[in-house]
Amino acid sequence: NEIIKDPADVRVNIAFCFPDTYEIGMSNVGMRILYGVMNEMPGVWCQRVFTPWADMEEAMRKHDLPLWALESRRPVKEFDMIAFTIGYEMCYTNILQVLDLAQIPMLSRDRTEEHPIVIGGGPCTYNPEPIADFFDIFYIVISAIICLVFIGRLEGVREGSIFAAVAVGNIIKVYNRIYGKITERDFEYV
């Protein structure tokens, strides 16, 4: 049930994270649908990431191993973006754990163009403010169609800056705090 692609054919690498254990994340139908849809796109490789159990986390920290994707074992910090599906508030601390284990700065303001763009979507993004400092972009409404459009637009700007990537994100209700203050631009609609 995994999709493996030739890295030479991939232009956009997505670490798709369910911030809970594999056993819980794999039972999420939405994640399965989006995983399949994104991997149908030419040049896009969406790989799954889950929160490790406590014993694995301990071993990873002991040996300084970064969190990796399920399919390629590639470190998450090397992806173009990490997309979190946030289904319930109880996983907020797991998001921080994932970023820390992936060796990605937790706060958006501390990340550079060398880091993946951190995106949040799902039911808990209807009120993104409690976790806004940790994300670059939120999709308040997430669906397979939005993923296709956003990834298609991101593909052309990844070599540019993170700010260029955010600029193309105004596809549907997008909330971003990357500019450091809330303005009327924080909520954009198409």
Side-chain angles (χ1 to χ4, degrees), residues 10-161:
V10 176
R11 294 181 306 278
V12 178
N13 286 286
I14 302 166
F16 188 31
C17 182
F18 191 92
D20 214 320
T21 61
Y22 175 88
E23 292 80 2
I24 295 171
M26 284 305 294
S27 67
N28 183 285
V29 176
M31 183 166 183
R32 288 181 177 194
I33 292 169
L34 291 172
Y35 173 76
V37 166
M38 287 187 273
N39 275 310
E40 287 179 6
M41 296 180 69
V44 174
W45 191 7
C46 175
Q47 299 181 52
R48 296 164 295 180
V49 177
F50 300 95
T51 305
W53 283 98
D55 58 340
M56 182 62 173
E57 177 186 1
E58 183 181 332
M60 291 172 70
R61 291 187 190 282
K62 180 179 178 182
H63 298 285
D64 195 32
L65 295 172
L67 185 64
W68 61 83
L70 186 65
E71 285 79 3
S72 68
R73 308 294 190 262
R74 180 179 178 187
V76 172
K77 65 183 176 182
E78 296 177 4
F79 282 72
D80 297 315
M81 76 169 78
I82 178 169
F84 286 91
T85 179
I86 310 168
Y88 41 89
E89 291 87 354
M90 294 298 290
C91 71
Y92 286 175
T93 56
N94 291 355
I95 293 167
L96 303 180
Q97 176 190 19
V98 165
L99 291 172
D100 189 43
L101 285 171
Q103 301 171 355
I104 297 170
M106 284 190 209
L107 296 172
S108 174
R109 69 174 175 258
D110 295 337
R111 292 192 285 270
T112 68
E113 294 175 16
E114 301 302 314
H115 297 106
I117 297 168
V118 179
I119 300 174
C124 282
T125 60
Y126 285 97
N127 176 18
E129 193 57 30
I131 53 175
D133 292 338
F134 308 107
F135 287 84
D136 300 316
I137 304 170
F138 285 99
Y139 273 95
I140 308 301
V141 178
I142 193 74
S143 74
I145 294 170
I146 296 165
C147 285
L148 293 173
V149 174
F150 179 74
I151 293 166
R153 291 190 183 177
L154 176 68
E155 186 175 359
V157 296
R158 183 59 187 144
E159 284 96 28
S161 72

